[in-house]
Every structure is written in structure tokens, then in C-alpha cells.
Amino acid sequence: MNNLFPKAFEHNDAEQKWYNVWLAHNIFDADSKSNKPPYSILMPPPNVTGILHFGHILNLTIQDLYIRSKRMQGYEVCWFPGTDHAGIATQSKVEAELRKEGISRYDLGRDKFIEKVWQWKNKYGNIILEQMRQLGISVDWNRVLFTMDDSASNAVKQAFIRLFEEGLIKKDFRIINWSPLSQTALSDEEVIYKEVPGHLYTLRYCYEEDTTKWLLLSTTRPETIFGDVAVAVNPNDSRYTALIGKRVRVPLTDRYIPIIADDYADPTFGTGCVKITPAHDPNDYEVSMRNLAKLGMESNLNFINFRTISKDAKLTGPLVNAEFIGLDRFDARKAILVKLQANQLVEKIDDYSHNVGYSERGGEQIEPYLSQQWFLTMKPFVSDALQAVKDGHIKFHPQHWVKTYEHWLTGIRDWCISRQLWWGHRIPVYYTEDGKFTAATNEDDARKKLNLPANASLTQDEDSLDTWFSSWLWPLTTMRWLVNGNENTPDMQKFLPTDLLVTAPDIIFFWVARMIIATQKFNNTIPFKDVYFTSTIRDGLGRKLSKSLGNSPDPLNIIAKYGADAVRFSMAFLAPLGQDVRMDVDVANQDIASMELGRNFANKVWNAGKFINMKQAENYATSNNDCTFTLSYADKWMLSKYNSTIQKITEYLNEYRVTEYAKLLYDFIWRDFCDWYVEILKVQLNQSTDNNYKQQLTKFATNIYENILKILHPLMPFITEELYHLIADRAENDSISTAVFPVPDGDAILPEIEEQFELVQSVVEEVRKLRASINVPSQKLPATISVPNENLLNTLNNVYSVIASLCKFSALNIAVNAEKPNGSTSTVFHQIAIHLSIADTIDIEQERNRLQKEIARLNGNIKSTEAKLNNEKFVSGASPEIVAKEREKLASMQESLTKVIENLNDINK
């Protein structure tokens, strides 16, 4: 109890104060040796280049909600935090800084460049973690892991070596997705396909035996013709059967290529003939591999000779005509097309929309490129990964993502794990001068494996591993797997599998599926039991909030304006599982109006606490503790409603229905407790002269309120901690964070009373509506309530004084089938009639005139709106939303007119 209860909640001061208190008293720290049941969550590691965005806000809020609630429920809770080294993104950042100095990474050399990156990381890499603290997240900060820390790096290295030695990691020449901007290979999951308008070029390939005749074939990329090795036709296409084995001339060259038969050629697409370019198209690569003998080749190594586009996406190589060498691929397309047309080698050009791959990171069009890379064979892992989800050991929320997961796994391809980057985990493969190689921990280990002398010269592979190759080990590395050679660390024994992963659905392939595979492979268990896929946050136009679109305010500005609690509550309230969220954003003023919901709710909770505190001060000092206390009908209702709310909260949280949890709290606290019970409490306290009763009633209300703070705390930690200490004298380290989360008392849940009280609430609400309709909102009036039976009579009589007080009745008569008094106005609902006597209170003639004017006004507006809606030009020309609003407006006015006419009839009787 605090006699100096602040007028308003100052969130900025409270947030800093309580977060420091929580840290000082180690409330977030986890103990793997604890006897408590474990509960753990893996934080998706943000990139060290990242800054806080609203996707993080939602993701972290949900994680913290579960961490805090489970901590209060007696679990040994551990939330594992960390950051990702983000190979491409981080290297790009540092290279951009170097360009400002007029130098490149090649000027520095690998070692010096990596030193520069570490300097950048140490300066900027933890900014996002500091930003996260402002949200109030209860992370075990002693366990922060960076994916290139020594322990994580060693685990990555050992995982690679084991997979290499099992023959699952191999180096091969294949078509990969090449990023000309980042100058590195990309995995299939790092490519975004977009449908773009383009052209389909039908070209003439002249026959070797008669150059005055030609074969027509269609392509979207004429710039790749210099890399052609064949033309394929379908073996079942009778148009071309006789041509199989013959040769045609590659346009603009003196080179002839064979016509081969392959099922890949689609007789219904274009002319049914397709040019085969194995160094620049993944399908053409597969066709060529099936037809090596027909092409006069021994292996895919021969395809290297047909690379005609460089890593810079420029035309290159001895097969390319000199005039086109060095041209960018898109410029080359235009120049080659001009030359083809000049030589009458273009039959036609059609408009054609098709899917084109773009780099997720850089945004540029990727180039299919024949390159030697490291690949991890994925198919052996598919069965176990699928089974873990099918058997329900891992559950997805919402469940429809299971189909996406299964579709990706069943069609999985080998994973290209090498990247042409310097920043990252360098591939632990060492080469001898004569080309032998092995995967090893270091050079000495490599020499032993290769049976080489101690002074033998070795060279380490220049490439680094895909960033996701360290991320897929996150469930293991966060728990210090292989530190000191330990395969099953204390953290792993206690917290693995973790309980919940909260993540965005767009990385289900990059990360979720791969973590399942890696944890099964290296620890023979699953990484987590439940996966919660968050909503996508969009603006009012439906666009995803992003810095690049310029449609996202800085979350830190929003937190500063509304408070962390308000932002957390609003996000949870507005983001139902499996649905995208739209918010009205105002970037110019750094505002999101939706956050008012959370701020207003916080104010409501605060003001209720202020009232409770005031009643404590009034009643605690004027009584003794030795007295009996009998719950009133309203008290029993509140106790029942409180316990049934806890029961539903537990159900909603267990089922990951976070929005329902937030809405249930909102409705119970705002409507039931603040709007109803607090008002009833005032009536009960004001009508009693028994100080002992007042004290016990205040204690009862305080206990309910204190437990409300506990069930709200996981979502709104700062304001609940502040109020928890204001309504009782508590030591600083007596935190609500470690208080016991309330459990429902089934015996206190009385559905019949809850149902009856809904009727009481309806009576009061109907009276307030009736008062508003006759413009007498607060003046005390006599009333009669007519009910159809004794049961309803008893129900309303149980709270007679509450109804009379809340409805501002000067006198109240409740009876079965009571007659309507003269000079009264009425409303009827559920067979209950409420009659307000107004004859002696208002000027009847003045009220009659007012109502007649209101009827005239409404009739005029209704006529105008009906005319608009009957106008076919308006209905067909306006947007559906505008038409719908007009219809809603008409219905509302018609309803109002009915009520006003009823009131006029009442006073005319």
C-alpha cells in the first residue's frame, strides 16, 4: 500500500528502473542443475547488421509471454539469446565502408579484411540486443552466443568434418544460383521468384546439309546462344523424329550442334524445340548429363568449356564473338538481337511473362552458373524429419504450415553450402599441392589424415560456409555442444528439446526444417516441440512493413511514445495466429495509432490500482482483523468470473491462441473488473457503516486485483511490476516475475451466477441507452422493472441496490408482470420491461417537440441515403467499402428512428 500513488504511469522511468532491478537480482538466469521442470526457448538470432523492426516486436513479445508465464508457474526457464554473423550482409556492410576509403577487400587481403569485420562487429553487432532490452524481454543474457564465437565455430567445423567423412558432403561442378552483386553462390532458398514481363524469341538454326533451311526454336535468353551444345526435341514429337541425329548451326557462329531426343522438350511450348546450354541453365545441365555420349563428352567437366557468361554477368570466353565480349548480359541480349535480325535469324518475337529468380539479399537477377561448389546431400535426412512432424512430436501452429514443410522436404535438393565470401566459417578442407584433400580440424590434423610429413605444404579452401550452416546447429551450439568434446552438455540434458520456437514462416526452409535435420542427425532428438509461425505486419495498403519501402516507423520511437507494455499488448491483441496484421502507420510523425489500444488499456489498469490503493488507505486502519466476511452476489460473480478467466487463459496459452488470451484479459479487466466490479465495489463500500466489513471487502478486491496483475504480467511486465509494489509494501527483489501464477479454483466457478449477472449487466446497459435516447443521462428517476417470472425477480433483487445505484434510480420497483406507470418511457428486451418515469422530471411538451424534430431530421437523412443507394450509377461507381458504409448508415438511422418514434408514443400516452 502506497499513500503517494502517482497520478499516471510514467513508463519511461518504470521501464529503466525495473529492468535494472530484474538484472541486478538475476531473475532471468537459468540453472541447468535445477530440480524444477525445464522450459526453454531458442531466440531466432538476429543478424548483427540488423536493427529492431516490428516483426521482432511481435516475435519477442510472444516468446517473452511464454517465458514469463512459465517462470511464474514454477519452471526452470531458459531463453537462449544470440546473434548471427550474417555472412553476405555483414561483408557487404564492411566492403561499403572500405569503398568510401577508396579501397577494396582485395587491397587488404583476407586476414586484414576479417580483422576489419570483427572491429565492425564489436562496434555495431550488439546494437539490436540492446534495443531488445527496451521491450522488457527476460532473456538469460549470460548465455548470449554469436555464431562465430569459438564454441560455435568449433561445432560448425566438427559437423562439417563428420558429414564429409560420411560421404554426405562433396565437391562438384553443378549449376548453382550465382549472385553477380555479392559474387557468391546462393542456395535455392535464397532465391525469390517473381513473374516478370519479357519476350519469347523464336530463332532460326540453319541445317548443316542445307543452310537455306532452318529449325525454329524459342528462347527467353538469346544472350546464351554461344554456350549451346545441342537442340533437344521430344522423342514422341513426330514433327522432328526424322531430324534426330542431324546437326544445326548455332546462330552467328560457325559451330554445329546435334539435334537430340529428350523428354524435357515440351511439344506444346514454342516450336517444341529447345536449345541446350548446360553451363547456364539447370534443366539444360540435366539434359546434357543424360546425353553425354550423344554430345561427345565424358563428364560434366566438359561443360566448363561452354561457360559464356562470367561471374560479373558479362559475356566472356573463346566461344563468344569478339564484339560482344565484356558486355553486361542484358546489354548483350539487345546487341545480339540486333545482329540476329540483321542476319535474318529471328523468326518472331512474342510478349511472354515468366518466373525469374532474384537474390533475396541483393535484389538482382541471379545467374544460373556452372561452378564447382560444396554440396550436402539432403535426401538421407528427409524420412526422420518428416516423421517427427507427422507423428506430432513437433507441432506447427497454425497447422497448415505442415503441408508447406512436407512439400519442401519431399522435393528437397542437395544443399549448396559453399559461399565465395571471406567473412564466415571457412570451409575446413585442406589441399596438397598435387590436389589431394581432406576435411580436418587444422593443418596438423589434415596431415595426419593424409599421411603427410609434418612440414608438408597445405592450402585451406578459400570459400566460407553458408550462414545457414551455422544457424541449423543453433539448438546445439546455444547449449555449448562439443565444448571440451562434450556431446551431451548439462544444458542439453536439461533443456533439449526446447519447448517453443517462434519464427516467421518465410524461413521454414532456411532454418526450421534444417534445425530439425541437424538436431536429429547430431543428437538423435528433436530441437523443439512446438513452432509458432508469426503474422506478417503490414501497413494500411497491405504492404509488409519494411525499411526499404519507407513505410515503417522506428519501433523504438513507438515504444518511447506509448510505452513497452502498450506496444507489447497491442501487438499481441492485433496479431491472430495465422493471419496477417494491418496497422495504420504514420511514418512522417513516427506513429501507429493502433498502439492507443494498449496505452488506453494500461491507463485503465493503472486507474483501477489507484482506486484499490485509495480504498486500502481508507479502510485498513479503521478495523480489526477478527471478523467474518460473507461474499455478496456481486462478489461471487467477480470471483467466479476471475477463476473462469484463469481457466480460459491456461487453455488459450496451451493452444498458442495468443490473441484470444490478450482479448480475454482486455474484456475481463476492462469491462468486468474496472467497469462493473469497481463500480459495484464503490456502492457496497458506500452503503456499509461496518469498518470490519469494509476492510475485508477491500482485501478481497485487492486480492483479485493483485492476481489480475499476475495474469497480465507476462504481456505487460513493467506496469504490473510497478503496481505490484504500489499496492503492497514489498522489497525490491520481491518481484512479480517470480510470484506464483494463479491457478483456477473450480469450486469458485459458478456458471449460473455468471449467466445471471450478464442479465444484470444488460439491464443497466439498456437503462443507460434509454436515458441517452431521452437526453436525461444522469438525473435521478424512479423506475419500474417488470420481469416474467420469480427466478428473474430473485436474480435482480440479489443486486437491487447495485442496479438502483448504477442506473441512478431515485426509487426502484421490481415485480413480476408489473404495470407500466403513467408518464413513463420504456424499453423491452428478453421479456424484461424497464419503465422510466419522466413526467415529473422533464418538460413533456419540450421533449415532444425535440423528438418530432429528431424524427423529421432522421426521415430526411434516410430519404437522402435511400436515394443514393437506389442510384445505380453511385452503387456501380463507388468502391464496395463506401457502398457498404452507406448501407450500414441507413440501417443505423432506421433503427434510431424506430426508437425515437417509440419514445414519442410513450410520452403521448
Side-chain angles (χ1 to χ4, degrees), residues 35 104 109 111 123 144 217 410 604 729 838:
N35 292 323
S104 73
D111 291 344
K123 184 175 182 180
V144 175
L217 57 86
T410 51
K604 194 79 170 179
D729 294 324
I838 58 174

Side-chain angles (χ1 to χ4, degrees), residues 379-400:
K379 288 192 183 296
F381 306 120
V382 168
S383 178
D384 287 346
L386 279 172
Q387 209 61 41
V389 175
K390 285 182 178 178
D391 290 347
H393 299 306
I394 300 173
K395 295 182 176 67
F396 286 180
H397 309 274
Q399 193 179 14
H400 67 74

Side-chain angles (χ1 to χ4, degrees), residues 600-628:
N600 292 341
F601 183 57
N603 289 339
K604 194 79 170 179
V605 173
W606 183 264
N607 289 333
K610 189 158 56 173
F611 171 78
I612 292 291
N613 180 260
M614 179 178 69
K615 292 305 169 186
Q616 288 174 329
E618 291 176 3
N619 299 316
Y620 277 17
T622 59
S623 65
N624 63 68
N625 293 320
D626 301 322
C627 65
T628 58

Side-chain angles (χ1 to χ4, degrees), residues 143-156:
R143 296 173 183 269
V144 175
L145 180 75
F146 176 50
T147 51
M148 284 187 63
D149 285 346
D150 288 344
S151 63
S153 295
N154 178 62
V156 169

